[in-house]
Structures are given as structure tokens and as C-alpha cells.
Amino acid sequence: DEVNETYQYYSLPFCRTAGKQKRHHHELGEYLVGDRKITSPYQVSFLDNVQWFLLCEKTLQPDEVKSFADAIEDDYYFEMFLEDLPMWGYIGEVEGEDLLLGHLETARRYLYPHLHFSIGYNVDQIVSVNVSTNPQRKVDITDDLMETDVSFSYSVEWVPKPELTWENRMSRYHDSRFLPGTFEIHWLSIINSFVLVLLLTAFLTIILMRVLKNDFTRYMDVEEDEMGEEESGWKLIHGDVFRFPNQTNLFAALVGAGGQLCCTTFLLLLCAITGFFRPTKRGAILTAMIVLYALTSFIGGVTSAR
């Protein structure tokens, strides 16, 4: 399951705008996450409701029908942006598929050719966007060996949102349940792992302290003439603590890289907490991480040189 892969929107035979497709400017982080935003043919005007508008009528060839059918079977979904606000929607659905036995020959595949845009506004600012599909207008594309006529259309609805301000318009995405579970942060698992590491470290420390305490107590009680007995266990390496390592350059490089990564992580969390950048924006975290890693390179050099 390649749930983390992204593809260009027009890798599927959707309606295109006339002429050359206009590409948007992308930041470094957006390139790294695979974003390739281009202008869509959907026309949206502020406070202009659209009941129904025909985008285009298209006759899908058998290979195009099959590409849509394969995408629907794999649960592909599209992502659109309006005023930097993302919205997601599924391409279609599969009906009659057994969840336990998998795909059946009797399963039907349907394409959603109609999109409904619900846009929330506060005074003169767009604060929320949402896209939904109309199951009543779905098109059956189960037979991928014949041509299929599809009418792509859309509608627009403007909804007042006086309770949602421009500064908090990204807050609704924190609890979004549309994205697959692999995209969500499993805080409970992270906390469990962190607590487990702390407990194991504490148990190991207690065991080592007991062993050291028993050895020091025994050494304090024995006579000096008995100190010449052969050492064993951890006492065999007590003289290796200050021994000069063999791969000095490699050791210094690893220590410097570790120090740089720790500083980068700390600064990244600090910038996210203080609101220096928006973590909800696609690619913002990757961009900030690369910039901070470059700026903290001197820390790795100083640490390695010392």
C-alpha cells in the first residue's frame, strides 16, 4: 500500500483548462513532499453561489476508464487548495466489495463527476473550505472495455462563519478525520514508548548501582593482602574509560553530528511552539528543518573540533 505517494492531478483524465496548465510557485518543502500544484478549471467568485455548472463533457476511452477504476479501487483521493486552505475528496467508490474476502467480480465501481464546494467566510475573508461529492450523480465505470460518457460539473455554496477568525482558520484541521490513520500522529504510542524507555533505563540503573555498591562494600571489608585476586566482570574495563579511541576522526564526526541534530530538533520544536512558522502548511516543517540544519552546521564543526 503506497499511501504516502502523491501523483499529479492530471495523471488521471480529468477536465483540463484550455491552453497550457499554469503551475504555482512551490517552496522547498512542498517539492520534497511531492506537491505539484496547478490551476484547476473550477471558477470560484467571492459570495457567488453556483447551483450547478457544467465543466465539460468527455468521452472516456477504455484505457482512461481503467485508470479511473484502478484509482478508485486503491482509494485514491485528490487534494485541492483555496486561499492556502486544503480540502480533500475521493474520486469514487466501490460497491459490493466484501471486506473480508476482498474484491468480488460482482463489485461495481462508480466515478464522482460532480463536486460541491462549501466555502466559509468571515466578513471579507475565506476561513474554511470543504469539498463533497453527490452520490446521486455518480457514473458506473465497471465495464472498462467500452467508452463511457461523463459530464463533469460542480456547484459552489458560501456559508457565513462569524465564529471562525482568520487567525484560527487552521484549527479545524487539527482534528481532521479524513486523512488515513498513517498520516495521524499516534500520541498514545509515542507516550507509551517514552515511558517504557524511562522504566528500562531506571531498572538498568538500579541493577548497576546495586552491583557497584556490593563490589565497593566487599572491597572495603577485605584485607590489603587479599586485593591481589584476579578481577572479573566490569572491573576488567575500568582502565579503558580514558583510553584514546582508534577511529578518532570518525568518533569526533559522530559526536559533532549528534550535537547538531539535537540542536536542530530543539530549535525546530521551539519555532513550532512560538508560531515562527505554520506546522499545518504543507512542507513547512521540512523547509524549517533544512534551514535550521544548515544554520547549526557550525555547532557540529565546533563540537567535532573540540
Side-chain angles (χ1 to χ4, degrees):
D1 294 337
E2 300 172 347
V3 295
N4 291 328
E5 289 191 359
T6 57
Y7 303 94
Q8 293 188 10
Y9 182 74
Y10 287 117
S11 61
L12 293 175
F14 288 105
C15 287
R16 293 175 175 264
T17 54
K20 187 177 180 181
Q21 303 298 318
K22 180 181 178 182
R23 294 185 176 274
H24 287 252
H25 172 72
H26 297 85
E27 297 180 357
L28 177 60
E30 292 177 313
Y31 279 113
L32 294 178
V33 298
D35 284 349
R36 299 295 185 272
K37 291 184 290 187
I38 58 177
T39 302
S40 70
Y42 300 95
Q43 301 294 327
V44 178
S45 300
F46 190 71
L47 297 183
D48 185 11
N49 290 322
V50 179
Q51 295 297 329
W52 182 84
F53 187 85
L54 179 62
L55 195 63
C56 74
E57 293 181 342
K58 189 172 185 179
T59 300
L60 299 178
Q61 302 301 318
D63 58 333
E64 295 177 327
V65 174
K66 188 177 187 309
S67 62
F68 269 126
D70 293 340
I72 293 172
E73 287 183 355
D74 293 335
D75 292 330
Y76 278 34
Y77 63 90
F78 60 85
E79 182 180 37
M80 294 183 178
F81 293 86
L82 180 62
E83 290 290 324
D84 288 333
L85 293 173
M87 48 186 166
W88 304 275
Y90 284 103
I91 299 174
E93 66 174 348
V94 179
E95 292 185 357
E97 181 181 14
D98 194 310
L99 297 178
L100 297 178
L101 300 179
H103 179 72
L104 299 178
E105 295 297 332
T106 58
R108 312 294 298 180
R109 296 181 290 273
Y110 295 95
L111 175 67
Y112 293 146
H114 181 82
L115 299 181
H116 177 73
F117 297 96
S118 179
I119 307 174
Y121 68 95
N122 187 350
V123 189
D124 59 346
Q125 296 176 328
I126 297 177
V127 294
S128 68
V129 294
N130 185 47
V131 60
S132 58
T133 55
N134 189 347
Q136 303 299 327
R137 296 179 178 176
K138 59 186 179 183
V139 178
D140 191 346
I141 58 171
T142 304
D143 189 358
D144 54 8
L145 298 178
M146 60 179 296
E147 297 180 352
T148 304
D149 295 328
V150 179
S151 297
F152 291 94
S153 60
Y154 70 97
S155 56
V156 181
E157 178 187 10
W158 292 86
V159 181
K161 298 280 186 179
E163 72 282 356
L164 186 59
T165 61
W166 172 268
E167 293 77 12
N168 298 325
R169 64 179 190 155
M170 287 292 182
S171 60
R172 61 187 296 266
Y173 294 102
H174 296 165
D175 299 326
S176 176
R177 291 295 179 265
F178 177 82
L179 293 179
T182 52
F183 286 178
E184 299 177 3
I185 300 176
H186 300 279
W187 292 109
L188 184 59
S189 299
I190 295 176
I191 295 175
N192 288 338
S193 301
F194 183 71
V195 172
L196 182 61
V197 170
L198 289 181
L199 290 176
L200 292 177
T201 304
F203 291 153
L204 182 61
T205 302
I206 293 174
I207 294 174
L208 290 178
M209 291 299 294
R210 281 192 172 186
V211 172
L212 292 175
K213 183 179 179 180
N214 292 336
D215 286 346
F216 282 126
T217 302
R218 185 165 58 85
Y219 283 156
M220 296 296 294
D221 295 338
V222 299
E223 300 293 337
E224 292 186 1
D225 55 354
E226 298 178 1
M227 293 292 293
E229 64 180 2
E230 184 178 356
E231 296 180 342
S232 61
W234 64 272
K235 297 179 289 298
L236 292 175
I237 60 173
H238 74 280
D240 294 341
V241 176
F242 301 103
R243 178 177 296 179
F244 203 71
N246 295 328
Q247 302 292 337
T248 310
N249 293 334
L250 179 60
F251 177 74
L254 293 176
V255 172
Q260 183 180 358
L261 290 176
C262 290
C263 292
T264 301
T265 304
F266 174 76
L267 292 176
L268 183 64
L269 294 176
L270 182 63
C271 291
I273 293 174
T274 56
F276 188 76
F277 64 89
R278 292 184 298 174
T280 54
K281 184 178 180 181
R282 290 290 298 270
I285 295 180
L286 286 176
T287 302
M289 182 171 59
I290 293 174
V291 172
L292 290 175
Y293 184 80
L295 294 178
T296 56
S297 58
F298 73 95
I299 296 178
V302 172
T303 305
S304 299
R306 293 182 59 184

